[in-house]
Amino acid sequence: MRTLPFDKAKLEEIAATYPTPFHIYDAKAIRANAKRLKKAFSWNKGFREYFAVKACPNPELMKLLKEFDFGSDCSSMAELVLAERVGNTGDKIMFTSNDTPAEEFRKAWELNAIINLDDITHWDYLYEAIPEFGSQVAAQADFRIFCCRYNPGPLKGGNAIIGKPEEAKYGFTREQLFDCYAKMKAAGVKHFGLHTMVASNELDPDYIVDTAKLLFTLVGEIHDQLGIDFEFINIGGGIGIPYKPDQKAMDLEYVGAGIEKAYEELVEKKGMKPIKLFMECGRCITGPYGYLVSRVRHIKNTYRLYAGLDACMSNLMRPALYGAYHEIIVPGKENSGNTSVYDVTGSLCENNDKFAIQRVLPVMERGDLVVICDAGAHGYAMGFQYNGKLRSAELLLEEDGSVRLIRRAETLDDYFATLV
Ligand SMILES: *Cc1c(COP(=O)(O)O)cnc(C)c1O
C-alpha cells in the first residue's frame, strides 16, 4: 500500500478550508525527486531538465522547479508566457511545438528561446513569421540556438502510448535533418541541438538509454558530413511512472550511468566537443506527487455498485481518455480490507466518466474522502468545462505541513465570462 503525505485528519483539516474536490501537490517529494534527477545526470556538464509545462502548468510549481535550474519546455503561447512570468527566458526555454502559428515563433524569438523545429518547412517559415529574422539570424548567431526534432520512423520500435514513430505527426525524417542543418549553417547559425521524443510513459530504462545512443550517433554523422558541432541533444520527455502497484519506477541512476557510457563511446572517443544532455520530462517530475482529493457524494446499488464522487473526468481525464489506471485510497480505511467492488464515477453525463471500473476497495460511505493518486501530471492540466463542470483548485503542501492555495477553483462567473 502506498503511503500518502497526509492522513485523514490532515485532509479533513485542509478540506475545511478548501472544499473538495482539489488537487494537492507535495512540495517536499517534488524537491527530493528533482534533486535525484539532477544527481543521476551530474556527470554531464550542462545537463538540464526542461519541465514540460503542459503536464502541470502552474507557475508556483514551475518556480519550485526553478530552484533546481529546471527550464521550461513550451509548445503554445500560453506556455511561453507562463515561462516568461516565472523568469525562464533565453536558453531556459525549449520551444518544442508543432503545426506552429507565426505569433508563437515570434514570441519564442522575442524571448530568445531555443527554437526546436518540428518540420523542415518551418525554417523558411521563420523568415515569414518573424520580420527581423532574415537580418538578425546571422548577426545574433552568438546566442541564438536552433534545434530540429527527429522522427526516426521505422528505425525505432514503437512505444505503447505514443505509438509507432512512422505514424506520429512529429519531426523530421533523417534526410530532412541533413538538409535543414545545412541551410541553417549557410544562414550563419552557430549553435545547434538535436531532439527526439519517441516515448510516453515509458518504464523500460534501456529504451531511454537507446534514445540517447540514437541521437549521439546521429549527431556524429551530421557533424562528419556538415562540419557542425552540436551544443546539446534533447532526449525528450516520456519517462513513465508506476501507476499500477505491480509496476516499478524508472531507475534514473541506471539511465544516467547508461547514457554516460554511451557518451564516452559515441562523443568522447570520437573526439567531438562536449555535448549537453537535455530532457523535457513532465510526468515523472510531478506526476506521482500530485493527488486528486474528492469525497463520496452518493453510493448507488443497481446492476453494479457505484461510488459517485464530487470530482469527475474534468478533474482527471486519463482514465476516461485512455483507460488509465490510477490508484485509489480511502483515507482512514487503509486497514479495513478491500472487500467491495465499485465503479468509481463522477457526475458527468458520459458513461466513461469513471475513475475506476470494477475496483476492489474498502466499503465506502457518503462523505468518505477519496484520494486518487498520480494525478500530478496530465491531471488538472487536461481539465475542461464540458457539461458545465468547473475546474477545481490546486493546493501546495509545503515542507512544514502548511498548505497554500496556488490556483483557486473556477466559479460560475468564470464559466460565463466568455459569453457575449
Ligand atoms: C508531452 C511532451 C513532453 C512531456 O511528456 P511527459 O510524458 O509528461 O514526460 C515533452 N516534450 C514534448 C514535445 C511533449 O509533447
Side-chain angles (χ1 to χ4, degrees):
M1 170 73 79
R2 202 183 272 250
T3 47
L4 299 176
F6 31 65
D7 58 11
K8 182 179 178 214
K10 176 75 183 173
L11 273 186
E12 286 292 3
E13 185 192 316
I14 299 167
T17 311
Y18 307 106
T20 56
F22 56 77
H23 285 265
I24 185 165
Y25 306 99
D26 179 356
K28 186 176 170 187
I30 293 174
R31 285 199 177 92
N33 182 51
K35 234 177 256 171
R36 180 181 161 207
L37 180 85
K38 280 192 79 159
K39 188 152 176 269
F41 296 97
S42 58
W43 57 267
N44 183 266
K45 298 242 174 326
F47 167 80
R48 181 172 282 154
E49 148 72 9
Y50 291 81
F51 177 61
V53 176
K54 81 162 190 260
C56 198
N58 189 297
E60 289 302 314
L61 293 175
M62 291 165 74
K63 273 193 241 165
L64 190 156
L65 294 170
K66 219 171 154 253
E67 292 170 20
F68 302 90
D69 194 41
F70 283 15
S72 302
D73 172 51
C74 305
S75 65
S76 66
M77 181 61 85
E79 291 178 1
L80 284 169
V81 173
L82 272 171
E84 182 182 22
R85 297 240 180 122
V86 302
N88 273 347
T89 58
D91 68 355
K92 303 287 287 290
I93 296 178
M94 183 72 59
F95 182 54
T96 303
S97 61
N98 68 92
D99 192 20
T100 314
E103 68 265 23
E104 291 179 10
F105 275 134
R106 277 198 293 281
K107 183 68 180 176
W109 178 259
E110 196 185 298
L111 295 173
N112 301 330
I114 300 174
I115 293 183
N116 185 13
L117 299 179
D118 182 66
D119 186 56
I120 187 158
T121 63
H122 290 187
W123 176 255
D124 290 334
Y125 186 64
L126 289 175
Y127 289 84
E128 264 176 63
I130 306 163
E132 62 275 27
F133 189 78
S135 60
Q136 289 184 347
V137 65
Q140 299 183 348
D142 283 338
F143 68 91
R144 296 284 178 189
I145 310 174
F146 293 92
C147 182
C148 295
R149 178 171 187 164
Y150 175 43
N151 181 333
L155 300 176
K156 178 99 181 155
N159 153 286
I161 286 196
I162 219 164
K164 289 186 190 162
E166 66 265 42
E167 291 170 9
K169 66 173 176 169
Y170 310 110
F172 290 58
T173 66
R174 194 184 146 87
E175 296 68 35
Q176 289 172 338
L177 284 180
F178 287 83
D179 289 350
C180 195
Y181 286 114
K183 273 183 149 179
M184 288 175 174
K185 185 187 176 194
V189 174
K190 289 187 194 152
H191 299 282
F192 302 92
L194 176 64
H195 169 276
T196 197
M197 165 123 179
V198 284
S200 182
N201 199 26
E202 181 61 61
L203 284 171
D204 176 5
D206 288 317
Y207 195 88
I208 310 296
V209 175
D210 287 347
T211 301
K213 280 186 192 162
L214 180 95
L215 291 186
F216 285 141
T217 306
L218 183 53
V219 150
E221 289 166 354
I222 300 171
H223 166 87
D224 291 348
Q225 195 163 323
L226 301 177
I228 59 175
D229 293 307
F230 277 80
E231 192 121 336
F232 68 85
I233 63 158
N234 180 347
I235 58 173
I239 292 181
I241 60 172
Y243 286 102
K244 294 185 180 159
D246 62 345
Q247 288 176 322
K248 235 177 105 230
M250 180 69 76
D251 185 342
L252 292 175
E253 290 71 25
Y254 175 96
V255 175
I259 298 181
E260 181 178 16
K261 193 162 157 278
Y263 184 89
E264 284 163 9
E265 276 167 23
L266 300 167
V267 177
E268 283 180 347
K269 270 201 198 136
K270 194 171 154 53
M272 283 197 285
K273 288 196 180 150
I275 296 176
K276 295 173 194 163
L277 177 69
F278 291 170
M279 56 174 66
E280 50 187 36
C281 287
R283 190 187 314 272
C284 72
I285 305 299
T286 54
Y289 318 112
Y291 305 85
L292 172 57
V293 180
S294 181
R295 229 183 249 289
V296 177
R297 188 186 273 151
H298 296 289
I299 299 289
K300 171 169 176 162
N301 194 349
T302 53
Y303 305 102
R304 284 183 179 182
L305 190 56
Y306 295 96
L309 306 187
D310 60 6
C312 69
M313 64 186 275
S314 67
N315 305 110
L316 177 66
M317 190 158 52
R318 297 187 71 259
L321 189 62
Y322 9 77
Y325 180 97
H326 282 260
E327 191 76 343
I328 293 178
I329 294 173
V330 187
K333 294 191 173 174
E334 290 93 338
N335 300 316
S336 49
N338 290 348
T339 54
S340 286
V341 178
Y342 290 95
D343 277 16
V344 180
T345 77
S347 58
L348 215 128
C349 299
E350 286 286 341
N351 194 42
N352 63 347
D353 182 18
K354 295 182 179 182
F355 293 110
I357 296 172
Q358 297 295 285
R359 182 81 57 90
V360 187
L361 290 164
V363 172
M364 286 188 267
E365 292 155 78
R366 292 180 60 194
D368 276 349
L369 286 166
V370 171
V371 175
I372 302 172
C373 299
D374 301 313
H378 313 290
Y380 178 92
M382 282 189 183
F384 55 93
Q385 291 180 326
Y386 178 49
N387 220 176
K389 303 297 175 187
L390 304 176
R391 278 171 285 231
S392 54
E394 292 182 291
L395 310 177
L396 187 65
L397 176 64
E398 303 275 17
E399 306 214 4
D400 64 3
S402 63
V403 169
R404 195 153 57 89
L405 183 69
I406 56 173
R407 189 195 305 265
R408 68 163 173 80
E410 284 177 344
T411 65
L412 270 186
D413 286 342
D414 297 317
Y415 185 81
F416 288 110
T418 51
L419 291 176
V420 180

